[in-house]
Amino acid sequence: MKNALFSRISLFAVVAATTFATSAVPVNAQEPGNNDSSALEEVIVRGRAQELYRVPVTTSGKLATATIDSSITITTITDDLIVDQGARDAADIYRNISGVTAFSYSGITARGFRQEDIFFDGLRGDLFPQFVVPQLFNIERLEFLKGPAGMLYGVTPPGGLFNYITKKPTTEVYREARLVAGTDSRYGGSLQLEGPLLSDSVGSRLGVFYEDRDTSQFNTESETLVLDAGLSFDVGFADLSLQAFYIYQDLPGNRLRGVPTDSRGNFLADRQWNHNESFDFIEVDSTALQARFEGGEGTSWDWDFTVRYNENTEDQAYHESGSPPIDTDGDGEVDAIERRYRETITDIESISLAGNAVYSTDIGNIKSRTLVGFDYFDSEDIEDFQTTDVVNTLSLRNPQYGQVDPSTYTFVDFGTGSTLLVFDNQFERTGAYALQELTIGDFILTGGLRWDEFEDSSQDPFPPNGDFSDNKVTGRAGVVYKVRDDVSLFAQWAQSFEPQAPGSQDAIFGGPFDPTEGENFEVGLRTDLFDGRIQSSVAIYQIKRTNLVQSTGIDADGDGFIESVAFGEVTSEGLDVDIAADLTPDWVVTLAYAYNDTKITEDITGSGGGIGNQNGGTFVNAPEHQLGFWTRYQVPSISTAFAFGGDYVSERIGFRGDRVKPYFVFDASIIYEKNDWRMLLRAENLFDETYATSGFGFQFPGDVRTAFLEVYRKF
């Protein structure tokens, strides 16, 4: 496995050397007569504090818009923030987004609702399978669009969605190499090469990232390889960029279900306890090819068209701890868990495409922008699955690993004539939309509609399965009032929807059912004070999610299947506060705070019904309060910055009704920048806090204290 991996790295090293040679440019890129490179670099370092962590314009609203002019709430995580925080995957940066906390793997809680939808460059389709968290190496910025986004993106949950903007090939020269070493046997490196290739009109990018380390749980490791390459051309009528991505991850012992706790949220085992053996694994191979056309420069029209093909395979073998802990010695205290063994291979193949056209004009004193667009997504997910019954128990207090041999296990025959179950699910999404924006004096008015059609197919070994299709129209309306150039008030109404799961649509359950719907009302205030040195956003919202399918508990027609009804309603109300401020020219701070109250407001039993992701009427992993902050102070005289951050999440409830304790963890960085060198010393979970990030099967423990040193060299 590793020999094949190092062969891939060697191949890309050759490509990297070729790219470096053909994209070489004169080293002296300064103004004529300016030979004081150290002085120039000091100015760049000093001025960088005023621009860190912010972007002037966001694009996830389909219209490129200054934050202060938008009625949509979008939080942006920049590459500077990713680098300063030493972030490797998406879970490392959740603290920077108000209202977002961990749920499981790449899943999050956003404004009270579980979210798992991920877009790349505005296209549906996750480059990372379901049990892998997206990596950030080739990400230019991450935009999280809050609230329902059905009018813009079609099928989406009501809490929001992630849109990862990838680094593109360019003719601007940038070359960088990094090496990293740290605790837990951590080592790795990366290389980024950007610039003209063969001629000034052809841009290029080559990125290579590799890292290997042990992770917090016993028996777990993480080996990651990310490769991305791209070319950009001027093809006359448009600019064309071609990109290729390859992601490989070998994750021994990482099919996690957490550590058991008591009802008060106290761990019943060491926080590093793991139900997996060292030979259990998740292995991921993902490849994507993407092409993007952009045109209309110098005209009243701007347009783009993007298409991506993606295929990935996720191979897993693991010991599952799906049942509650047991008492093996009769002393009244649980001390072990029963384990089953499972093997799965999931193959996903998808194609995604989207096109947008924006017409801009002035009608008298009115500025107008009209957007029309479409998108299409088709995916087939095939999973091969087999499982044993209980094979053994594992102690919570003194786990003995390496005492089992999966080759001796017997897999369950489910009566299909084979121990292997094959699940084949297909999803097709088609959407078309139109959006109008008018700027009239101090007001910016936005309104749009979208039509979607979806077709789902489920071919499983057991009923119910079959095909289901439907269509839906969603809308959005917003208004911004510019109190002055640097202060605005905004209000928004938006909708979203999600088809019911194919398995619940069968007539034997009372289906088919209308889609789940989300509706959001939001008002707020944004500022861009003191020439942009203080940017803030405050939003108050209410989201209603309706048509949630629930079990009635009744088999009315006596066919052996319990009927369901689409009657559930959940209401989420809350407040988001985001601030990015330059306190001085050398001191920058960001703060993200959220309050949320998510409740079941309609059900068929009066006590929670069959609505998912809740326990006893309270939604799991949905904290009332969340706070994240990050502050960075630059000392120009020593070319060094000191940074410190924290992440607070209030008490939550887990799936088992157990308490998930509140926590406040801290981390810090020391950043040295001089000429073309940069060094980052990073410590995470600075005070080695014991805590759980979420309650799932059991509770996912947070990482133990770690530290690493990363050295950068630009050349």
Tab-separated table of all heavy atoms in Angstrom, residues 202-247:
chain	number	residue	atom	x	y	z
A	202	VAL	N	-0.244	31.198	-20.648
A	202	VAL	CA	-0.675	29.911	-20.100
A	202	VAL	C	-0.300	29.857	-18.619
A	202	VAL	O	0.879	29.948	-18.262
A	202	VAL	CB	-0.029	28.726	-20.845
A	202	VAL	CG1	-0.476	27.403	-20.220
A	202	VAL	CG2	-0.380	28.764	-22.318
A	203	GLY	N	-1.312	29.745	-17.764
A	203	GLY	CA	-1.069	29.645	-16.332
A	203	GLY	C	-1.003	28.200	-15.887
A	203	GLY	O	-1.493	27.291	-16.572
A	204	SER	N	-0.402	27.979	-14.720
A	204	SER	CA	-0.279	26.603	-14.226
A	204	SER	C	-0.331	26.587	-12.705
A	204	SER	O	-0.111	27.595	-12.040
A	204	SER	CB	1.033	25.972	-14.704
A	204	SER	OG	2.148	26.605	-14.088
A	205	ARG	N	-0.628	25.420	-12.192
A	205	ARG	CA	-0.541	25.166	-10.751
A	205	ARG	C	-0.220	23.697	-10.555
A	205	ARG	O	-0.788	22.814	-11.217
A	205	ARG	CB	-1.839	25.500	-10.020
A	205	ARG	CG	-1.799	25.020	-8.557
A	205	ARG	CD	-2.985	25.396	-7.719
A	205	ARG	NE	-3.018	24.612	-6.502
A	205	ARG	CZ	-2.280	24.841	-5.410
A	205	ARG	NH1	-1.458	25.874	-5.391
A	205	ARG	NH2	-2.365	24.055	-4.353
A	206	LEU	N	0.684	23.435	-9.618
A	206	LEU	CA	0.973	22.079	-9.176
A	206	LEU	C	1.088	22.094	-7.667
A	206	LEU	O	1.845	22.892	-7.099
A	206	LEU	CB	2.276	21.561	-9.787
A	206	LEU	CG	2.672	20.145	-9.332
A	206	LEU	CD1	1.706	19.118	-9.888
A	206	LEU	CD2	4.100	19.822	-9.749
A	207	GLY	N	0.321	21.245	-6.998
A	207	GLY	CA	0.368	21.153	-5.542
A	207	GLY	C	0.544	19.716	-5.100
A	207	GLY	O	-0.109	18.801	-5.628
A	208	VAL	N	1.423	19.507	-4.147
A	208	VAL	CA	1.665	18.185	-3.565
A	208	VAL	C	1.687	18.345	-2.048
A	208	VAL	O	2.441	19.169	-1.522
A	208	VAL	CB	3.002	17.580	-4.037
A	208	VAL	CG1	3.189	16.186	-3.437
A	208	VAL	CG2	3.070	17.521	-5.550
A	209	PHE	N	0.872	17.568	-1.360
A	209	PHE	CA	0.829	17.592	0.105
A	209	PHE	C	0.896	16.162	0.604
A	209	PHE	O	0.164	15.284	0.137
A	209	PHE	CB	-0.460	18.245	0.596
A	209	PHE	CG	-0.683	18.123	2.087
A	209	PHE	CD1	-0.174	19.062	2.959
A	209	PHE	CD2	-1.416	17.051	2.618
A	209	PHE	CE1	-0.378	18.959	4.329
A	209	PHE	CE2	-1.614	16.928	3.981
A	209	PHE	CZ	-1.098	17.885	4.844
A	210	TYR	N	1.787	15.914	1.572
A	210	TYR	CA	1.878	14.592	2.198
A	210	TYR	C	2.117	14.777	3.689
A	210	TYR	O	2.935	15.596	4.097
A	210	TYR	CB	3.014	13.757	1.600
A	210	TYR	CG	3.168	12.429	2.310
A	210	TYR	CD1	2.319	11.373	2.015
A	210	TYR	CD2	4.138	12.256	3.303
A	210	TYR	CE1	2.442	10.157	2.681
A	210	TYR	CE2	4.259	11.048	3.971
A	210	TYR	CZ	3.404	10.000	3.656
A	210	TYR	OH	3.504	8.813	4.322
A	211	GLU	N	1.381	14.010	4.488
A	211	GLU	CA	1.593	14.059	5.935
A	211	GLU	C	1.223	12.724	6.547
A	211	GLU	O	0.240	12.081	6.137
A	211	GLU	CB	0.770	15.184	6.568
A	211	GLU	CG	1.158	15.464	8.012
A	211	GLU	CD	0.630	16.814	8.500
A	211	GLU	OE1	1.202	17.848	8.115
A	211	GLU	OE2	-0.363	16.810	9.251
A	212	ASP	N	1.994	12.320	7.534
A	212	ASP	CA	1.771	11.061	8.248
A	212	ASP	C	1.889	11.359	9.732
A	212	ASP	O	2.813	12.044	10.169
A	212	ASP	CB	2.813	10.017	7.823
A	212	ASP	CG	2.462	8.626	8.323
A	212	ASP	OD1	2.326	8.450	9.545
A	212	ASP	OD2	2.328	7.711	7.497
A	213	ARG	N	0.957	10.817	10.510
A	213	ARG	CA	1.034	11.028	11.956
A	213	ARG	C	0.125	10.048	12.677
A	213	ARG	O	-0.832	9.505	12.105
A	213	ARG	CB	0.612	12.453	12.331
A	213	ARG	CG	-0.793	12.827	11.911
A	213	ARG	CD	-1.207	14.154	12.497
A	213	ARG	NE	-2.486	14.614	11.995
A	213	ARG	CZ	-3.293	15.450	12.648
A	213	ARG	NH1	-2.944	15.908	13.831
A	213	ARG	NH2	-4.428	15.826	12.125
A	214	ASP	N	0.426	9.817	13.933
A	214	ASP	CA	-0.507	9.128	14.819
A	214	ASP	C	-1.573	10.133	15.242
A	214	ASP	O	-1.317	11.337	15.285
A	214	ASP	CB	0.209	8.591	16.055
A	214	ASP	CG	1.269	7.554	15.718
A	214	ASP	OD1	1.148	6.926	14.645
A	214	ASP	OD2	2.216	7.391	16.505
A	215	THR	N	-2.762	9.632	15.559
A	215	THR	CA	-3.812	10.520	16.061
A	215	THR	C	-4.211	10.088	17.459
A	215	THR	O	-3.672	9.120	18.005
A	215	THR	CB	-5.017	10.548	15.100
A	215	THR	OG1	-5.391	9.214	14.732
A	215	THR	CG2	-4.660	11.296	13.824
A	216	SER	N	-5.158	10.792	18.057
A	216	SER	CA	-5.354	10.712	19.505
A	216	SER	C	-5.789	9.342	20.017
A	216	SER	O	-5.361	8.912	21.087
A	216	SER	CB	-6.383	11.761	19.939
A	216	SER	OG	-5.829	13.057	19.860
A	217	GLN	N	-6.651	8.634	19.284
A	217	GLN	CA	-7.165	7.365	19.795
A	217	GLN	C	-6.115	6.257	19.645
A	217	GLN	O	-5.300	6.277	18.721
A	217	GLN	CB	-8.433	6.968	19.038
A	217	GLN	CG	-9.514	8.032	19.040
A	217	GLN	CD	-9.855	8.531	20.419
A	217	GLN	OE1	-9.537	9.668	20.755
A	217	GLN	NE2	-10.486	7.701	21.220
A	218	PHE	N	-6.162	5.286	20.558
A	218	PHE	CA	-5.284	4.128	20.431
A	218	PHE	C	-5.483	3.482	19.055
A	218	PHE	O	-6.602	3.397	18.545
A	218	PHE	CB	-5.592	3.085	21.515
A	218	PHE	CG	-5.365	3.573	22.925
A	218	PHE	CD1	-6.164	3.125	23.967
A	218	PHE	CD2	-4.342	4.462	23.224
A	218	PHE	CE1	-5.964	3.550	25.266
A	218	PHE	CE2	-4.126	4.896	24.526
A	218	PHE	CZ	-4.940	4.445	25.544
A	219	ASN	N	-4.412	3.036	18.453
A	219	ASN	CA	-4.416	2.290	17.182
A	219	ASN	C	-4.705	3.145	15.957
A	219	ASN	O	-4.835	2.611	14.853
A	219	ASN	CB	-5.426	1.130	17.203
A	219	ASN	CG	-5.131	0.107	18.274
A	219	ASN	OD1	-3.971	-0.145	18.591
A	219	ASN	ND2	-6.175	-0.475	18.847
A	220	THR	N	-4.820	4.452	16.111
A	220	THR	CA	-5.185	5.275	14.964
A	220	THR	C	-3.975	5.985	14.380
A	220	THR	O	-3.074	6.414	15.095
A	220	THR	CB	-6.249	6.328	15.335
A	220	THR	OG1	-5.731	7.183	16.360
A	220	THR	CG2	-7.529	5.669	15.793
A	221	GLU	N	-3.987	6.106	13.069
A	221	GLU	CA	-2.987	6.863	12.331
A	221	GLU	C	-3.691	7.606	11.202
A	221	GLU	O	-4.845	7.325	10.874
A	221	GLU	CB	-1.916	5.930	11.742
A	221	GLU	CG	-1.101	5.154	12.752
A	221	GLU	CD	-0.126	4.224	12.063
A	221	GLU	OE1	0.546	4.660	11.097
A	221	GLU	OE2	-0.049	3.044	12.471
A	222	SER	N	-2.964	8.512	10.592
A	222	SER	CA	-3.495	9.259	9.449
A	222	SER	C	-2.378	9.512	8.459
A	222	SER	O	-1.404	10.190	8.771
A	222	SER	CB	-4.106	10.591	9.901
A	222	SER	OG	-4.479	11.372	8.789
A	223	GLU	N	-2.504	8.922	7.275
A	223	GLU	CA	-1.575	9.168	6.183
A	223	GLU	C	-2.363	9.803	5.045
A	223	GLU	O	-3.342	9.229	4.568
A	223	GLU	CB	-0.922	7.872	5.720
A	223	GLU	CG	0.102	8.070	4.614
A	223	GLU	CD	0.675	6.760	4.117
A	223	GLU	OE1	-0.004	5.716	4.237
A	223	GLU	OE2	1.806	6.782	3.594
A	224	THR	N	-1.947	10.992	4.621
A	224	THR	CA	-2.718	11.753	3.642
A	224	THR	C	-1.824	12.223	2.506
A	224	THR	O	-0.735	12.756	2.734
A	224	THR	CB	-3.374	12.984	4.303
A	224	THR	OG1	-4.231	12.553	5.363
A	224	THR	CG2	-4.185	13.771	3.286
A	225	LEU	N	-2.319	12.046	1.298
A	225	LEU	CA	-1.672	12.577	0.105
A	225	LEU	C	-2.707	13.349	-0.691
A	225	LEU	O	-3.783	12.832	-0.987
A	225	LEU	CB	-1.099	11.449	-0.758
A	225	LEU	CG	-0.564	11.860	-2.137
A	225	LEU	CD1	0.691	12.718	-1.992
A	225	LEU	CD2	-0.281	10.623	-2.987
A	226	VAL	N	-2.416	14.609	-1.008
A	226	VAL	CA	-3.277	15.432	-1.854
A	226	VAL	C	-2.435	15.933	-3.022
A	226	VAL	O	-1.378	16.544	-2.813
A	226	VAL	CB	-3.877	16.628	-1.084
A	226	VAL	CG1	-4.744	17.472	-2.023
A	226	VAL	CG2	-4.696	16.152	0.112
A	227	LEU	N	-2.884	15.676	-4.226
A	227	LEU	CA	-2.232	16.156	-5.438
A	227	LEU	C	-3.228	16.980	-6.223
A	227	LEU	O	-4.385	16.570	-6.393
A	227	LEU	CB	-1.754	14.990	-6.307
A	227	LEU	CG	-0.922	13.893	-5.638
A	227	LEU	CD1	-0.666	12.759	-6.611
A	227	LEU	CD2	0.387	14.456	-5.124
A	228	ASP	N	-2.820	18.154	-6.661
A	228	ASP	CA	-3.678	18.900	-7.575
A	228	ASP	C	-2.818	19.590	-8.612
A	228	ASP	O	-1.713	20.053	-8.326
A	228	ASP	CB	-4.583	19.879	-6.823
A	228	ASP	CG	-3.868	21.134	-6.364
A	228	ASP	OD1	-3.139	21.063	-5.354
A	228	ASP	OD2	-4.037	22.176	-7.008
A	229	ALA	N	-3.323	19.627	-9.832
A	229	ALA	CA	-2.597	20.225	-10.942
A	229	ALA	C	-3.599	20.923	-11.847
A	229	ALA	O	-4.761	20.511	-11.947
A	229	ALA	CB	-1.827	19.155	-11.723
A	230	GLY	N	-3.153	21.994	-12.502
A	230	GLY	CA	-4.070	22.725	-13.364
A	230	GLY	C	-3.358	23.569	-14.391
A	230	GLY	O	-2.189	23.937	-14.227
A	231	LEU	N	-4.086	23.872	-15.463
A	231	LEU	CA	-3.619	24.762	-16.516
A	231	LEU	C	-4.723	25.750	-16.830
A	231	LEU	O	-5.919	25.414	-16.751
A	231	LEU	CB	-3.260	23.972	-17.785
A	231	LEU	CG	-2.098	22.985	-17.697
A	231	LEU	CD1	-2.028	22.161	-18.975
A	231	LEU	CD2	-0.786	23.716	-17.457
A	232	SER	N	-4.348	26.980	-17.174
A	232	SER	CA	-5.333	27.980	-17.583
A	232	SER	C	-4.916	28.574	-18.923
A	232	SER	O	-3.718	28.756	-19.191
A	232	SER	CB	-5.471	29.079	-16.529
A	232	SER	OG	-4.250	29.775	-16.352
A	233	PHE	N	-5.914	28.874	-19.773
A	233	PHE	CA	-5.668	29.374	-21.117
A	233	PHE	C	-6.651	30.494	-21.437
A	233	PHE	O	-7.764	30.530	-20.909
A	233	PHE	CB	-5.886	28.279	-22.175
A	233	PHE	CG	-5.211	26.973	-21.886
A	233	PHE	CD1	-5.842	25.994	-21.122
A	233	PHE	CD2	-3.947	26.713	-22.383
A	233	PHE	CE1	-5.233	24.780	-20.870
A	233	PHE	CE2	-3.319	25.490	-22.133
A	233	PHE	CZ	-3.968	24.529	-21.379
A	234	ASP	N	-6.246	31.355	-22.315
A	234	ASP	CA	-7.153	32.296	-22.963
A	234	ASP	C	-7.539	31.667	-24.298
A	234	ASP	O	-6.715	31.562	-25.205
A	234	ASP	CB	-6.464	33.646	-23.176
A	234	ASP	CG	-7.387	34.676	-23.830
A	234	ASP	OD1	-8.495	34.310	-24.263
A	234	ASP	OD2	-6.972	35.848	-23.931
A	235	VAL	N	-8.807	31.224	-24.421
A	235	VAL	CA	-9.238	30.546	-25.644
A	235	VAL	C	-10.037	31.481	-26.555
A	235	VAL	O	-10.804	31.041	-27.403
A	235	VAL	CB	-10.075	29.292	-25.309
A	235	VAL	CG1	-9.213	28.260	-24.622
A	235	VAL	CG2	-11.282	29.642	-24.436
A	236	GLY	N	-9.870	32.775	-26.350
A	236	GLY	CA	-10.522	33.749	-27.207
A	236	GLY	C	-11.836	34.226	-26.652
A	236	GLY	O	-11.942	35.352	-26.142
A	237	PHE	N	-12.835	33.380	-26.687
A	237	PHE	CA	-14.156	33.781	-26.199
A	237	PHE	C	-14.280	33.659	-24.687
A	237	PHE	O	-15.256	34.126	-24.094
A	237	PHE	CB	-15.252	32.932	-26.872
A	237	PHE	CG	-15.224	31.480	-26.483
A	237	PHE	CD1	-15.996	31.023	-25.432
A	237	PHE	CD2	-14.420	30.573	-27.154
A	237	PHE	CE1	-15.981	29.685	-25.058
A	237	PHE	CE2	-14.400	29.239	-26.802
A	237	PHE	CZ	-15.186	28.790	-25.753
A	238	ALA	N	-13.290	33.038	-24.035
A	238	ALA	CA	-13.360	32.836	-22.583
A	238	ALA	C	-11.997	32.432	-22.057
A	238	ALA	O	-11.087	32.076	-22.822
A	238	ALA	CB	-14.393	31.757	-22.249
A	239	ASP	N	-11.848	32.503	-20.739
A	239	ASP	CA	-10.700	31.926	-20.056
A	239	ASP	C	-11.079	30.518	-19.614
A	239	ASP	O	-12.153	30.296	-19.045
A	239	ASP	CB	-10.317	32.761	-18.836
A	239	ASP	CG	-9.795	34.132	-19.220
A	239	ASP	OD1	-9.132	34.238	-20.269
A	239	ASP	OD2	-10.063	35.099	-18.471
A	240	LEU	N	-10.196	29.578	-19.863
A	240	LEU	CA	-10.445	28.174	-19.532
A	240	LEU	C	-9.432	27.712	-18.502
A	240	LEU	O	-8.224	27.931	-18.655
A	240	LEU	CB	-10.329	27.307	-20.787
A	240	LEU	CG	-10.291	25.783	-20.569
A	240	LEU	CD1	-11.592	25.284	-19.961
A	240	LEU	CD2	-9.985	25.074	-21.881
A	241	SER	N	-9.917	27.094	-17.436
A	241	SER	CA	-9.020	26.459	-16.465
A	241	SER	C	-9.360	24.978	-16.381
A	241	SER	O	-10.538	24.599	-16.314
A	241	SER	CB	-9.133	27.110	-15.077
A	241	SER	OG	-10.415	26.939	-14.528
A	242	LEU	N	-8.336	24.151	-16.412
A	242	LEU	CA	-8.464	22.701	-16.282
A	242	LEU	C	-7.775	22.279	-14.997
A	242	LEU	O	-6.637	22.682	-14.734
A	242	LEU	CB	-7.820	21.992	-17.471
A	242	LEU	CG	-8.357	22.354	-18.863
A	242	LEU	CD1	-7.539	21.663	-19.948
A	242	LEU	CD2	-9.823	21.978	-18.994
A	243	GLN	N	-8.458	21.470	-14.186
A	243	GLN	CA	-7.907	21.050	-12.903
A	243	GLN	C	-8.073	19.552	-12.718
A	243	GLN	O	-9.064	18.957	-13.171
A	243	GLN	CB	-8.604	21.775	-11.744
A	243	GLN	CG	-8.377	23.270	-11.707
A	243	GLN	CD	-9.207	23.935	-10.621
A	243	GLN	OE1	-10.330	24.379	-10.871
A	243	GLN	NE2	-8.660	24.009	-9.415
A	244	ALA	N	-7.119	18.965	-12.034
A	244	ALA	CA	-7.180	17.552	-11.660
A	244	ALA	C	-6.826	17.427	-10.186
A	244	ALA	O	-5.892	18.079	-9.698
A	244	ALA	CB	-6.221	16.721	-12.512
A	245	PHE	N	-7.578	16.602	-9.470
A	245	PHE	CA	-7.364	16.400	-8.038
A	245	PHE	C	-7.227	14.907	-7.763
A	245	PHE	O	-7.948	14.086	-8.332
A	245	PHE	CB	-8.536	16.933	-7.207
A	245	PHE	CG	-8.941	18.342	-7.533
A	245	PHE	CD1	-9.997	18.598	-8.390
A	245	PHE	CD2	-8.272	19.421	-6.983
A	245	PHE	CE1	-10.382	19.884	-8.698
A	245	PHE	CE2	-8.646	20.720	-7.280
A	245	PHE	CZ	-9.700	20.952	-8.138
A	246	TYR	N	-6.324	14.570	-6.866
A	246	TYR	CA	-6.229	13.192	-6.384
A	246	TYR	C	-6.020	13.230	-4.878
A	246	TYR	O	-5.133	13.944	-4.382
A	246	TYR	CB	-5.074	12.440	-7.041
A	246	TYR	CG	-4.903	11.045	-6.475
A	246	TYR	CD1	-5.787	10.030	-6.814
A	246	TYR	CD2	-3.884	10.768	-5.560
A	246	TYR	CE1	-5.658	8.758	-6.278
A	246	TYR	CE2	-3.741	9.502	-5.018
A	246	TYR	CZ	-4.632	8.500	-5.382
A	246	TYR	OH	-4.519	7.245	-4.833
A	247	ILE	N	-6.851	12.496	-4.150
A	247	ILE	CA	-6.749	12.425	-2.687
A	247	ILE	C	-6.625	10.966	-2.286
A	247	ILE	O	-7.427	10.119	-2.723
A	247	ILE	CB	-7.973	13.051	-1.989
A	247	ILE	CG1	-8.081	14.541	-2.341
A	247	ILE	CG2	-7.881	12.891	-0.487
A	247	ILE	CD1	-9.218	14.863	-3.258
